[in-house]
Amino acid sequence: MNYELEICANSVASCIEAEKGGATRVELCMGIPEGGTTPSAGMITEALKAISIPVHVIIRPRSGDFHYNEEELREMIYDIQLAKKLGAHGVVFGCLDPEGEYDQQANRLLLKAAEGMQITFHRAFDVCRDPHKMLETLISEGGFTRILTSGCAPTAPEGAPMIRSLVKEAHGRIGIMAGSGVRPSNLEELIRESGANQFHSSLRTSVPGHMTFRRKEVSMGGSVQIDEFSNQITSAQLVKTTVDILSQNF
């Protein structure tokens, strides 16, 4: 198999669907609408019990930017140590300084905590000042297995030219994984345009909740309006369709 398909899984149910559909691994996270935040110990534990493919845990204590204070970094170190203790195969993080450059001190603290695990530098990459400089820094610093990127664009299909440039520059020294907006409908074109062979997607579908009594006028998110009576869960069929496309192209 010359490709990788990582599923961004927001629940144990999504993990099970990802494996059922043939995914390579899952990135386990909460808060997908916020870009992904650290899942609970309970979710990590149950996900590792439920599936046999690798589980990588996102280490991101909050939404927003990627510059973290001392308290947040201590929290992130603890979360990495806990994920490792629970048996997670990898972690996903990335720290920037206020100028959008690589935060060497912060990343080195987290890299040390994550020694022995696979480590992905996540989409903090997409909001850095200079992606070409950042690529070389990540390679020279060592420790990172791959970079998750949309090519510094809103979606990977839009950022495909940049992704192609990064794949060429990386030349196998670090993995380049295309993520954001990756769908079966655009995957073949993305493969051609980006030159990538690693892809990241949630491939979710809306599944009705179990409650029959519904007070629809009350929102748990305040001004953020979501459907309180459905769940967004990865679809094994969408994963399988994506895997089939990848198999035909690699």
Side-chain angles (χ1 to χ4, degrees):
M1 185 172 71
N2 297 317
Y3 65 84
E4 295 180 13
L5 176 63
E6 177 179 273
I7 295 299
C8 179
N10 61 343
S11 64
V12 176
S14 285
C15 291
I16 293 169
E17 291 290 297
E19 182 173 49
K20 196 182 299 183
T24 306
R25 65 178 169 270
V26 299
E27 178 202 64
L28 190 64
C29 67
M30 299 177 73
I32 288 181
E34 298 177 317
T37 53
T38 307
S40 69
M43 185 188 291
I44 298 169
T45 300
E46 289 302 312
L48 288 164
K49 282 188 202 173
I51 61 174
S52 58
I53 58 175
V55 174
H56 290 192
V57 176
I58 192 167
I59 305 297
R60 187 170 176 232
R62 54 164 172 77
S63 61
D65 65 30
F66 301 100
H67 181 61
Y68 302 104
N69 62 33
E70 291 183 7
E71 292 80 13
E72 289 169 330
L73 286 169
R74 287 196 295 269
E75 179 182 342
M76 294 167 80
I77 289 168
Y78 179 80
D79 284 337
I80 290 170
Q81 292 170 338
L82 180 60
K84 183 188 288 190
K85 182 178 179 181
L86 292 172
H89 306 85
V91 287
V92 182
F93 59 77
C95 305
L96 303 177
D97 71 14
E99 297 301 317
E101 305 283 357
Y102 182 82
D103 189 332
Q104 186 179 70
Q105 182 177 4
N107 284 302
R108 283 186 175 180
L109 287 171
L110 302 186
L111 284 165
K112 183 176 181 181
E115 281 180 359
M117 308 176 83
Q118 285 209 357
I119 307 169
T120 301
F121 192 92
H122 62 37
R123 290 190 62 216
F125 183 90
D126 290 323
V127 293
C128 75
R129 181 179 291 274
D130 183 340
H132 302 287
K133 178 182 176 183
M134 180 67 79
L135 171 66
E136 292 302 327
T137 299
L138 291 170
I139 292 168
S140 63
E141 280 290 303
F144 290 100
T145 312
R146 67 184 62 81
I147 299 167
L148 170 60
T149 178
S150 63
C152 303
T155 68
E158 293 171 274
M162 172 61 80
I163 296 171
R164 175 172 285 279
S165 175
L166 295 168
V167 169
K168 184 177 180 180
E169 290 174 44
H171 197 60
R173 294 176 295 164
I174 193 170
I176 304 296
M177 180 165 58
S180 182
V182 178
R183 300 285 182 270
S185 59
N186 60 31
L187 182 55
E188 286 194 293
E189 183 177 3
L190 179 59
I191 292 168
R192 289 194 302 270
E193 296 298 321
S194 71
N197 69 343
Q198 298 184 39
F199 302 91
H200 170 100
S201 181
S202 62
L203 298 175
R204 292 174 296 153
T205 189
S206 183
V207 177
H210 302 297
M211 291 188 66
T212 53
F213 174 75
R214 301 183 174 189
R215 195 181 299 279
K216 294 186 177 181
E217 69 273 17
V218 177
S219 171
M220 296 296 107
S223 60
V224 179
Q225 297 297 312
I226 63 171
D227 183 354
E228 306 284 356
F229 299 101
S230 68
N231 297 305
Q232 298 295 313
I233 297 175
T234 295
S235 162
Q237 184 55 56
L238 285 175
V239 176
K240 183 180 184 305
T241 299
T242 304
V243 167
D244 288 344
I245 294 169
L246 290 168
S247 299
Q248 291 162 14
N249 283 272
F250 290 98

